[in-house]
Each structure stands twice: as structure tokens, then as C-alpha cells.
Amino acid sequence: MIRKIFSYDVIDRIGRELMKKFILLLFSFFLLCSCHTNDSTINGVVYANVYTHYKTLQPYICLTFDDGPDQVQTPKVLDLLKKYGIKATFFVLGEEVEYQKEMLKKVVEAGHEIGNHFFKHDNIHKLTEQEIRESIVKNNELIKEAVGVTPKLVRPPYGIVTDTLKKVCKELDMDIILWNKDSKDWDKTPDSTIIKNMLKSPANGDIMLFHDGSKTYTNTLSSLDVIIPSLQKKKFEFVTISNLLDQ
């Protein structure tokens, strides 16, 4: 008699395991496809990626800060991030970088990521294509001069995205980063409201928006001092935008 090498139970078990792996891979694919806009071509024009969040299987969340660097507020933000051992992404304005190059160096030396927030905080609906390009390029050059790094990420002022912006960013090989959780800390929103909104239904791949561009945003620091440890207790890990997109 020929001895059976595998029983039907073993074969069935192997089949179930393979099916689980297939479903997991399929699920991962749909997660990634559901959370951002890929490069697209319309009438022969190729547009850049636009991300509001980026779903991952890992419990990753991104903290982002706009409008800095600021000589008073940014150091306080850096101290808070150091306190909890986390990294963030700072979208900086060129007109601030011009006079705060040493502060920008401190952000980079602390291991955080730098993104481009235009030279000035302009409404891009009022800018021509050339003015949009010049604002991004000028800021990139200032950042490169200050810290030796050219950003690959751009966040338009007010989160305004147009086809012109997407076209320019594709030509500059830059991704557009928005957010799906807005603290509205710039609007003197009470701490309790910020904390409640930012901790509501946290999910893998969330991108949170805060600001470090003014010392008047005291609620930024106090609310984050609650939000960060609360999410860490839920096993979320804070990473930079580039780390998130690498998943």
C-alpha cells in the first residue's frame, strides 16, 4: 500500500491558511487604494498624488504642524514631542524660514521631517501657475540652504487643491499632503473640544493638523499633552508622513 503523506485534515488546514493570506493581501490592497488619489492623467496632463490620510495595517498616526518655524512656539512643540519620544512633520513657510534658519535646523536635528507650505500663506486661487511654482521652488531652495534637504512633500495654504497645483507638484516630483483630522487650534478652540475631536474614532493612517506658527496657540501644547499619551495607550505609533507613505 502507498502510505498517505498528507491527511485530508492537513490539506484542508493548509488551504484555509493560504486563503487567509490571500484575503489579507486583498484587504491591504483595497485599504491603500481607498485613502488617496494616485497620479492621474487627464487630457494628457499628469497630476500629483493627494493624500488626506493613508490607511495601513499598522497603527500609525501622523502629527503635522503648519506655519512655522517660530522662535517661541516651535521649541515648545519640540520639547513636547521629545517628552513622548515621537516624530512629526513640519510644513514650514518660506518667509519664516528666511529669518528662522537656526530654528529649522533644530527641528531637523531632533529627527523630524520638513515639508513645504509655500513661501507665503497665499490663497492659491489668486495665484497663477507660475506664481504657484515660484512660491514652492523658492521655499524649497530656502529649506535646502538651511538644512541641506529638499522637501518632497507640499501642503498648500488653507488646504486648497486645484488641478494647476497638482500639475505643478507632479512636475516638481512632490506629493500633496492634506489631513483628515483638524485641531483648529489657530481658532482659539478650547482644549476640551480639540481633545474630544482628535480622539474621536482614531484610525490607522490618520493625519492630524496642528500649528506651531504663533506663541498665541497655547491650546496646541496643552491639548497635545493629553492627546499623545491617550493614543499611545491605545498602541498607536506616531511617525512622519514619509514613514507613513513608505508602508
Side-chain angles (χ1 to χ4, degrees), residues 188-196 218-223 227:
K188 298 182 179 179
T189 305
D191 290 15
S192 58
T193 302
I194 293 177
I195 293 167
K196 178 182 177 181
T218 56
N219 51 350
T220 303
L221 301 167
S222 51
S223 60
I227 293 167

Side-chain angles (χ1 to χ4, degrees), residues 40-47 163:
S40 57
T41 302
I42 301 176
N43 295 326
V45 180
V46 182
Y47 294 128
D163 285 349

Side-chain angles (χ1 to χ4, degrees), residues 36 41-42 104 117 142 157 181-182 190 239:
H36 68 280
T41 302
I42 301 176
L104 190 65
H117 199 37
L142 285 168
K181 284 185 174 289
D182 186 354
V239 299

